[in-house]
């Protein structure tokens, strides 16, 4: 029997936690006199989101353990996920979800959770048209190459012959397998872009951006340096690319520990001048951190939805 005890919490987006935090500070003045308060508030909101994600992953683990006794044994006696804060722990839970889903549906591949995402007919038609034009352009270049090769060999081709070569290529059926791959890629791009768009819509006119205007503008211009579709892997053994894993460690995990354990107060855990001068330091702002956390959250919600659906269908 599948337990629904934690389902509402697991499927409640962390975007809502961010929005609640913004609503709580909308009455605060945004002048320079509150800049210190702004940093304190950002730290508190960041911890609230990281904490919610860690608890959500623990709830996912327990939902799986409640439904599968063999997994429960492994979870309690073998696996060591701790606070679920390190990336390797999040990846471990992701792999566990994949394995249990594939135990219920052997044909499942993690990318399937994006394949099912809705897309409007107008948008799909636009993507299809652009893709077909790209295919046709490639075939025209191929026809030019064939004509050039035949001419080099001494063959005489009139315009009718050239048109026939081109038309034969253009009449070929479009490769539908490539179209499905292209549509998936577009959905992956849309998935990541939608997360960032919702994030910016929530924070755009809030005190958060007023207190951190320079950081926010940098985020709007450079978010794809960190969060992009190429860094969303969704394989059986990995869900984030190496670059995003590195950013998670540097931007999220290290900051989470620094704030949660207040290391700056007793370990002099503050950035050195060399660190401040480093080109990568500009990425260490909360908007990038929020984007990474929200992306991870959306992936786990999609995976858990599929797991829940399969479990319920077996009842």
């Amino acid at each position: 029997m599948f337990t629904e005890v934690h389902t509402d919490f697991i499927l409640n987006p962390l975007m809502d936690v961010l929005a609640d935090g913004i609503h709580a500070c909308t009455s605060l003045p945004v002048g320079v006199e509150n800049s210190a308060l702004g940093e304190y508030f950002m730290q508190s909101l960041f911890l609230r989101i990281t904490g919610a994600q860690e608890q959500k992953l623990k709830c996912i683990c327990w939902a799986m353990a409640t439904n599968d006794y063999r997994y429960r044994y492994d979870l309690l006696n073998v696996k060591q996920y701790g606070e679920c804060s390190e990336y390797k722990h999040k990846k471990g839970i992701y792999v566990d979800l994949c394995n249990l889903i594939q135990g219920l549906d052997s044909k499942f591949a993690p990318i399937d959770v994006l394949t099912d995402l809705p897309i409007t007919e107008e948008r799909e038609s636009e993507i299809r048209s652009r893709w077909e034009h790209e295919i046709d352009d490639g075939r025209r270049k191929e026809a030019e190459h064939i004509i050039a090769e035949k001419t080099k060999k001494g063959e005489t081709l009139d315009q009718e012959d050239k048109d026939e070569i081109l038309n034969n290529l253009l009449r070929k059926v479009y490769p539908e397998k490539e179209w499905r791959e292209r549509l998936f890629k577009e959905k992956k791009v849309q998935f990541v872009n939608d997360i960032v768009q919702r994030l910016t819509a929530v924070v755009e006119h809030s005190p958060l951006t007023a207190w951190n205007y320079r950081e926010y503008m940098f985020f709007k211009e450079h978010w794809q340096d960190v969060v992009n579709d190429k860094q969303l892997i969704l394989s059986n053994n990995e869900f984030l690319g190496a670059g995003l894993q590195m950013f998670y460690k540097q931007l999220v995990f290290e900051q989470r520990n620094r704030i949660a354990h207040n290391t700056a107060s007793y370990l002099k855990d503050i950035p050195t001048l060399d660190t401040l001068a480093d080109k990568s330091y500009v990425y260490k702002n909360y908007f990038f951190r929020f984007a990474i956390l929200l992306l991870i959250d959306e992936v786990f919600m999609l995976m858990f939805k599929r797991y829940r659906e399969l479990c319920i269908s077996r009842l």
Side-chain angles (χ1 to χ4, degrees):
M1 180 177 179
F2 185 77
T3 177
E4 297 277 18
V5 174
H6 303 297
T7 298
D8 288 345
F9 173 62
I10 293 170
L11 298 182
N12 183 44
L14 291 183
M15 190 77 72
D16 290 353
V17 179
L18 177 62
D20 289 343
I22 289 174
H23 293 154
C25 71
T26 51
S27 62
L28 295 175
V30 294
V32 67
E33 71 278 5
N34 277 328
S35 58
L37 176 62
E39 172 62 21
Y40 187 86
F41 187 87
M42 292 287 272
Q43 290 184 9
S44 299
L45 184 55
F46 172 71
L47 279 185
R48 190 178 182 90
I49 293 174
T50 56
Q53 183 165 93
E54 290 162 13
Q55 292 303 315
K56 183 180 287 196
L57 295 183
K58 291 177 184 178
C59 288
I60 290 175
C61 286
W62 194 244
M64 294 189 292
T66 302
N67 192 58
D68 188 305
Y69 293 156
R70 282 174 294 185
Y71 178 75
R72 180 186 294 189
Y73 177 85
D74 289 341
L75 180 67
L76 296 177
N77 297 282
V78 180
K79 300 179 185 294
Q80 297 180 350
Y81 292 143
E83 293 300 315
C84 304
S85 56
E86 290 188 62
Y87 176 76
K88 65 179 181 180
H89 297 150
K90 297 180 190 295
K91 184 181 83 167
I93 297 168
Y94 168 85
V95 172
D96 292 345
L97 257 176
C98 284
N99 291 337
L100 290 182
I101 293 173
Q102 289 168 344
L104 298 169
D105 179 5
S106 60
K107 296 180 179 179
F108 172 79
I111 60 173
D112 292 343
V113 297
L114 294 186
T115 304
D116 295 339
L117 290 177
I119 186 170
T120 63
E121 291 185 9
E122 181 181 354
R123 175 63 177 157
E124 184 171 345
S125 176
E126 176 190 339
I127 297 169
R128 175 83 186 198
S129 177
R130 189 168 66 246
W131 174 73
E132 289 181 356
H133 278 113
E134 291 173 3
I135 297 291
D136 289 343
D137 287 343
R139 290 173 176 177
R140 289 187 181 93
K141 290 179 181 178
E142 183 182 353
E144 291 174 1
H145 176 73
I146 293 173
I147 292 169
E149 289 296 315
K150 287 180 176 292
T151 302
K152 283 182 182 178
K153 293 177 181 178
E155 296 185 35
T156 303
L157 300 174
D158 57 22
Q159 189 59 45
E160 186 176 343
D161 294 329
K162 294 178 182 179
D163 290 342
E164 184 178 359
I165 292 172
L166 175 60
N167 290 332
N168 286 338
L169 290 173
L170 292 178
R171 278 195 293 265
K172 283 185 177 180
V173 176
Y174 291 111
E176 292 303 314
K177 183 179 179 181
E178 290 183 17
W179 161 242
R180 289 192 294 272
E181 292 173 354
R182 175 61 175 269
L183 184 60
F184 166 72
K185 181 180 178 182
E186 292 287 343
K187 285 189 174 185
K188 191 162 71 161
V189 171
Q190 176 181 299
F191 175 71
V192 175
N193 290 357
D194 181 61
I195 292 170
V196 176
Q197 288 169 5
R198 284 186 285 142
L199 168 60
T200 54
V202 168
V203 304
E204 182 74 36
H205 300 294
S206 71
L208 301 190
T209 56
W211 288 325
N212 301 271
Y213 181 77
R214 183 176 62 180
E215 291 84 353
Y216 178 63
M217 295 308 296
F218 183 82
F219 168 77
K220 287 186 69 174
E221 293 176 7
H222 298 278
W223 62 267
Q224 288 185 320
D225 295 348
V226 177
V227 181
N228 58 69
D229 64 289
K230 295 181 179 62
Q231 291 298 320
L232 185 61
I233 305 301
L234 295 185
S235 67
N236 287 335
N237 301 308
E238 199 68 78
F239 69 98
L240 296 184
L244 194 47
Q245 290 180 40
M246 178 194 70
F247 277 117
Y248 175 83
K249 180 179 184 296
Q250 294 178 351
L251 303 186
V252 178
F253 181 66
E254 291 180 0
Q255 182 71 353
R256 177 258 187 207
N257 289 344
R258 187 177 295 116
I259 299 173
H261 304 295
N262 197 22
T263 57
S265 67
Y266 64 92
L267 291 180
K268 304 295 184 185
D269 189 12
I270 57 177
T272 64
L273 293 177
D274 288 338
T275 301
L276 293 173
D278 191 277
K279 291 182 179 179
S280 65
Y281 187 75
V282 290
Y283 292 97
K284 294 185 177 181
N285 77 58
Y286 286 100
F287 302 106
F288 285 105
R289 293 175 179 127
F290 292 150
I292 294 171
L293 288 167
L294 294 175
L295 175 63
I296 293 173
D297 181 57
E298 293 290 337
V299 168
F300 273 102
M301 284 196 295
L302 287 176
M303 292 290 291
F304 183 76
K305 282 179 184 176
R306 178 60 64 89
Y307 173 69
R308 175 176 175 267
E309 289 168 0
L310 289 170
C311 287
I312 292 176
S313 70
R314 295 296 185 92
L315 296 179

